[in-house]
Amino acid sequence: MAKKIALLQGNDACAHGALYAGCTFFGGYPITPSTEVAEVMSQELPKVGGTFMQMEDEIAAMAAILGASLAGAKVLDATSGPGMSLKQELIGYACIAEITCVVVNVMRGGPSTGMPTGPSQSDMQQAKWGTHGDHAAIVLTPASCQELYEETGRAFNMAEKYRMPVQIQIDEIGAHMRERVEFAEPGELEVIDREVTTLSPEEYEPYADTESIVAPLAPFGSGYRYHVTGLNKSADGFPTTKAELVAHEEQRQIDKVALNAADIEKNEEYQLEDAEVVLFAYGTTSRSARYAVNELRKEGVKAGMFRPLTMWPFPEKRIAELADQAKAIVCAEMNLGQMVIEIDRVAKGNCVVAHIGRVDGEPINPGQIIDKVKEVL
Amino acid sequence: MAERYEIRFSGAGGQGLITAGIILAEAASIVDNKYAVQSQSYGPEARGGASKAEVIISDEPIDYPKATVVDACLAMTQEAADKYAVGIKPGGLLLIDTDFVKNAPKGDFKVYDMPIIRTAKEEIGREIVANVIALGAMIALTDVVSRESGETAVLRKVPEAFIDLNKKAYSLGFEKVKELLAK
């Protein structure tokens, strides 16, 4: 049978990727430029026996997906910057209580309501540090409609595996442009389901240490009783202030991402073998960077591109190597300097680190990148 | 056509030009199996005022998803012509609606004119199909997809009750341009 192929907007592709991954619950509150994700989920979830729930605001939407997740569902929420700001408290709750969920942020600039209809990439540090306290984050940055379809599935896999929130960051261009998307056949793409405990309800402790440092979850309603809280807790889920338990728990939550960075990180390297100038770009901006690399190569400039598909955890090791290899790393992003801070930190002065920013609601075009590269070299 | 080819449809919000863009992108990427990216003006200004849709088509994967220099442009209104019939590639082309664009932008490109809305009203009896007439005309002018691929994409998009109407509109737009080119 021929594969299903369709011309889809990025937001639609994201929703279909979630459905492929087995998402059965969407909790949301519509906001430009993310609304089509909710729209498609509202049409498609009832067909697969799932639930679409529009809540009274973004905070309640986030609360709804956490509740559904604890009951065993794979869950999705989609929003934009203002909604993301509202959700931060509950994202922190999902981090500490280790609740699996995927949240899509179609970035639109800001602060506050910003420019709802313009593209932006200015929530990249919020994605890591938006909620308070030490915590790990997994954040993905796809760049095409096909990639959005596939990476949304990977976001679910990571969330299921590491029992934590995973964020997907898109911009308005990526969300609204239409491209051909090839739907995967069942079994073609990896779909990971959360590990479920094999212990009896009497033996079960939701946050006990295991070899994988991610304790298997027991869905509510399956006969297991346990306590969920935003307070630091002991293995049984009840609050604790015991110093060694608190420190151990905090460290474990950081370690489950840090020790598995190789599994979580994903990058594309383009023309980097002999590159003297490395363009660091993500999302739709990386498409301008690829165009710029091709043009610069025609002129004899040894340019290449490093494109993270996983932004957080930050690809520190590879960036450090590239800082040793190249004369310059040029970061292009639709903000006034966010991921460039990380590059600067990791490059440790071993190469020039330059930045191209744009916040007027227009995309960074290839010409802008080419000019900057020539200025830097 | 290995290189990227860029087409812009512009007019008034509500004239169906974004739909025309989507149909062209489907013709290229789904029917013809090429690469295509479609995007549009998005925001409050798109309602009522000048609106545009852009389609980039290539045999290779498409990097930058927005238009750089446009190979072919359609302008259905004077406002759209003033605002969006810019950045046309030297040697490129512009199609305008004769009745609505009185001052065609000048430049190193060929300007074709056709009474698109009037044709829809007088020859089809339905102004609503002006976008499909324009699509047929643009495909005839650019050869960016074949006549058949364009028609297949149109028919995939429209509800069954309107198939004949749209088929007729598409053919009319295509034929009118071929007549124009033969002159």
Side-chain angles (χ1 to χ4, degrees):
Chain A
M1 202 182 82
K3 273 195 173 180
K4 188 182 167 195
I5 291 165
L7 186 78
L8 292 186
Q9 281 196 323
N11 279 341
D12 298 5
C14 175
H16 285 286
L19 291 162
Y20 182 89
C23 175
T24 55
F25 186 92
F26 182 95
Y29 184 78
I31 180 171
T32 296
S34 76
T35 306
E36 294 83 4
V37 181
E39 201 179 326
V40 173
M41 293 308 272
S42 73
Q43 289 160 352
E44 298 299 323
L45 274 174
K47 296 182 196 165
V48 294
T51 303
F52 173 86
M53 196 179 280
Q54 181 168 324
M55 300 302 291
E56 70 270 30
D57 64 25
E58 286 91 343
I59 302 172
M62 188 71 205
I65 66 165
L66 298 188
S69 178
L70 283 169
K74 288 189 178 182
V75 298
L76 179 72
D77 185 2
T79 189
S80 185
M84 216 56 205
S85 291
L86 290 169
K87 292 179 196 298
Q88 292 305 331
E89 182 186 356
L90 283 163
I91 288 175
Y93 188 82
C95 288
I96 199 164
E98 300 180 63
I99 305 172
T100 291
C101 61
V102 177
V103 181
V104 177
N105 176 7
V106 184
M107 296 177 281
R108 66 188 235 181
S112 191
T113 31
M115 180 155 61
T117 53
S120 166
Q121 296 178 311
S122 56
D123 304 342
M124 297 308 300
Q125 290 287 351
Q126 183 201 41
K128 174 69 180 83
W129 293 116
T131 198
H132 66 275
D134 286 311
H135 59 276
I138 300 178
V139 178
L140 311 186
T141 49
S144 71
C145 295
Q146 183 71 39
E147 206 168 78
L148 248 165
Y149 175 78
E150 290 168 14
E151 287 294 289
T152 302
R154 193 167 72 92
F156 274 90
N157 288 347
M158 295 290 136
E160 292 288 307
K161 208 164 166 184
Y162 299 112
R163 203 172 152 179
M164 61 185 285
V166 173
Q167 294 177 43
I168 301 170
Q169 304 283 104
I170 325 172
D171 62 74
E172 185 276 321
I173 299 172
H176 288 137
M177 68 185 179
R178 286 182 178 82
E179 288 181 301
R180 168 197 162 94
V181 173
E182 213 176 277
F183 286 64
E185 301 282 350
E188 190 180 337
L189 298 177
E190 188 182 25
V191 173
I192 297 174
D193 294 324
R194 68 192 71 169
E195 202 184 331
V196 175
T197 185
T198 53
L199 297 172
S200 69
E202 293 71 34
E203 298 167 304
Y204 179 66
E205 288 192 312
Y207 301 103
D209 278 350
T210 61
E211 206 176 317
S212 70
I213 65 175
V214 185
L217 189 86
F220 278 159
S222 63
Y224 292 77
R225 293 179 64 188
Y226 59 95
H227 189 248
V228 180
T229 175
L231 290 163
N232 285 109
K233 66 220 180 274
S234 51
D236 59 5
F238 284 95
T240 183
T241 54
K242 280 185 192 153
E244 71 278 11
L245 289 182
V246 171
H248 176 75
E249 187 208 19
E250 292 254 342
Q251 192 61 49
R252 183 176 57 76
Q253 293 190 10
I254 298 291
D255 283 350
K256 68 180 179 182
V257 170
L259 300 178
N260 292 299
D263 178 50
I264 300 167
E265 281 180 15
K266 186 175 176 185
N267 311 300
E268 186 203 351
E269 304 201 352
Y270 183 63
Q271 308 261 21
L272 281 183
E273 298 76 20
D274 61 343
E276 290 176 355
V277 56
V278 175
L279 294 170
F280 178 103
Y282 52 93
T284 57
T285 307
S286 69
R287 301 172 67 134
S288 300
R290 191 188 307 273
Y291 189 113
V293 167
N294 292 339
E295 291 301 310
L296 286 161
R297 286 266 165 185
K298 280 182 207 160
E299 295 177 33
V301 179
K302 287 181 178 164
M305 175 175 69
F306 181 84
R307 177 171 80 92
L309 282 86
T310 300
M311 185 60 82
W312 299 105
F314 188 72
E316 297 182 351
K317 208 173 137 226
R318 190 64 187 126
I319 293 297
E321 287 166 5
L322 290 169
D324 284 337
Q325 171 194 324
K327 288 182 186 159
I329 300 178
V330 178
C331 175
E333 49 183 353
M334 287 184 276
N335 58 51
L336 290 176
Q338 296 202 7
M339 294 321 299
V340 70
I341 299 169
E342 294 300 308
I343 299 168
D344 222 8
R345 177 177 68 79
V346 173
K348 293 192 169 70
N350 289 330
C351 72
V352 173
V353 175
H355 188 252
I356 305 166
R358 189 157 192 177
V359 290
D360 60 355
E362 292 296 324
I364 294 173
N365 59 52
Q368 237 183 311
I369 299 176
I370 292 166
D371 290 348
K372 186 74 182 183
V373 167
K374 287 179 178 170
E375 184 193 312
V376 168
L377 281 180
Chain B
M1 187 198 57
E3 296 285 305
R4 56 190 279 151
Y5 194 89
E6 303 184 353
I7 298 188
R8 181 181 292 146
F9 296 89
S10 71
Q15 282 184 324
L17 298 165
I18 292 173
T19 305
I22 294 171
I23 294 173
L24 179 60
E26 288 209 357
S29 68
I30 309 291
V31 183
D32 279 359
N33 224 357
K34 292 178 183 174
Y35 291 91
V37 182
Q38 181 273 334
S39 62
Q40 64 250 316
S41 48
Y42 179 67
E45 77 284 359
R47 288 176 208 127
S51 158
K52 68 166 172 174
E54 290 172 351
V55 184
I56 300 165
I57 300 172
S58 176
D59 288 335
E60 308 287 331
I62 294 162
D63 36 41
Y64 188 57
K66 295 276 182 176
T68 52
V69 281
V70 181
D71 293 272
C73 182
L74 164 77
M76 300 278 284
T77 65
Q78 187 66 50
E79 191 190 349
D82 296 341
K83 201 168 165 188
Y84 295 127
V86 292
I88 299 173
K89 193 181 269 182
L93 66 93
L94 169 67
L95 174 65
I96 56 171
D97 188 309
T98 326
D99 296 332
F100 293 92
V101 183
K102 296 297 180 194
N103 299 305
K106 288 180 179 59
D108 183 14
F109 48 81
K110 265 194 131 150
V111 180
Y112 299 91
D113 62 277
M114 185 178 151
I116 299 167
I117 300 271
R118 201 190 331 147
T119 305
K121 275 189 204 161
E122 290 175 2
E123 299 192 37
I124 307 275
R126 297 288 298 273
E127 191 177 332
I128 198 168
V129 294
N131 64 334
V132 177
I133 295 179
L135 176 68
M138 288 298 278
I139 288 174
L141 275 174
T142 60
D143 276 331
V144 73
V145 296
S146 69
R147 179 178 185 164
E148 293 71 28
S149 299
E151 190 182 88
T152 306
V154 169
L155 300 185
R156 278 168 57 104
K157 199 79 192 163
V158 300
E160 194 147 346
F162 300 103
I163 281 186
D164 286 342
L165 187 73
N166 283 281
K167 210 171 171 172
K168 205 170 146 194
Y170 177 79
S171 295
L172 195 61
F174 194 94
E175 297 290 346
K176 291 261 175 196
V177 161
K178 288 297 175 199
E179 283 167 26
L180 209 67
L181 292 175
K183 273 181 194 168

